[in-house]
Amino acid sequence: TRLIMAGQDKGLQQAVQELAQRLKVSDRVKVPGFLNSEQKAYFFSQSDIFINTSRVDNMPVAIVEACAMGLPVVSTNVGGIPYLLTHEETALLVPPGDVQAMVEAISRLLLDSDLAAKLSQSGRRLAERSSWEQVRLQWEQLFAEVLSRHN
């Protein structure tokens, strides 16, 4: 098992690395920081599950990117995330700060390959619906409806 903790360092990177050293798992923990598109593609291709532990978030692009790469997602159900993801359809959602629920959700995916495959496929469809081409059409339709009401 490996953990890749990517993203902008918000003051936890050093603490995570020190904890990994104390637990003697530092060879299994990578903290590459903020990733460009090429690095994201590489790390996503090396991963089996995408884990989002945010306590506050609206619509994290990283989740949609992980879905596009076919990774099953485990995420906290904060902010706009429950409007983006559906529990047990496109992801497994857990309460923020509930470490046990996060561990159980990850374990479910590791033990249930059918569930992991279902979330992967559903997530991929979600990412396709989130493409600019699809979203632009929805915006155009919304603007047309609003304008027709005011004319």
Side-chain angles (χ1 to χ4, degrees):
T1 302
R2 289 182 307 159
L3 172 67
I4 302 166
M5 190 173 137
Q8 184 178 17
D9 182 14
K10 296 180 181 174
L12 294 175
Q13 188 171 350
Q14 184 173 343
V16 167
Q17 290 171 325
E18 289 171 1
L19 177 60
Q21 286 177 342
R22 278 199 313 275
L23 296 173
K24 299 184 185 338
V25 295
S26 57
D27 62 325
R28 298 301 210 161
V29 176
K30 294 192 184 318
V31 188
F34 185 80
L35 304 175
N36 63 32
S37 296
E38 187 176 294
Q39 292 167 319
K40 283 180 195 177
Y42 171 76
F43 282 114
F44 284 156
S45 73
Q46 301 296 308
S47 302
D48 295 315
I49 300 171
F50 182 84
I51 303 166
N52 179 57
T53 60
S54 295
R55 294 179 186 269
V56 177
D57 221 324
N58 289 322
M59 192 196 122
V61 173
I63 287 178
V64 178
E65 292 171 330
C67 288
M69 293 294 291
L71 291 175
V73 172
V74 177
S75 178
T76 51
N77 60 355
V78 298
I81 294 172
Y83 299 100
L84 174 66
L85 302 173
T86 303
H87 181 61
E88 296 195 355
E89 286 182 31
T90 53
L92 296 181
L93 299 176
V94 301
D98 190 336
V99 175
Q100 187 59 39
M102 183 66 72
V103 168
E104 288 172 8
I106 294 166
S107 294
R108 275 186 73 193
L109 289 179
L110 293 173
L111 296 172
D112 188 344
S113 60
D114 290 340
L115 176 60
K118 173 188 169 186
L119 297 181
S120 173
Q121 292 166 359
S122 298
R124 190 80 179 109
R125 287 191 296 274
L126 169 78
E128 289 168 1
R129 289 191 311 271
S130 301
S131 72
W132 173 241
E133 293 78 20
Q134 296 294 318
V135 173
R136 187 190 78 234
L137 293 173
Q138 293 172 4
W139 276 109
E140 288 173 354
Q141 182 180 2
L142 177 63
F143 288 144
E145 286 176 27
V146 169
L147 289 172
S148 71
R149 290 183 199 158
H150 288 82
N151 289 331

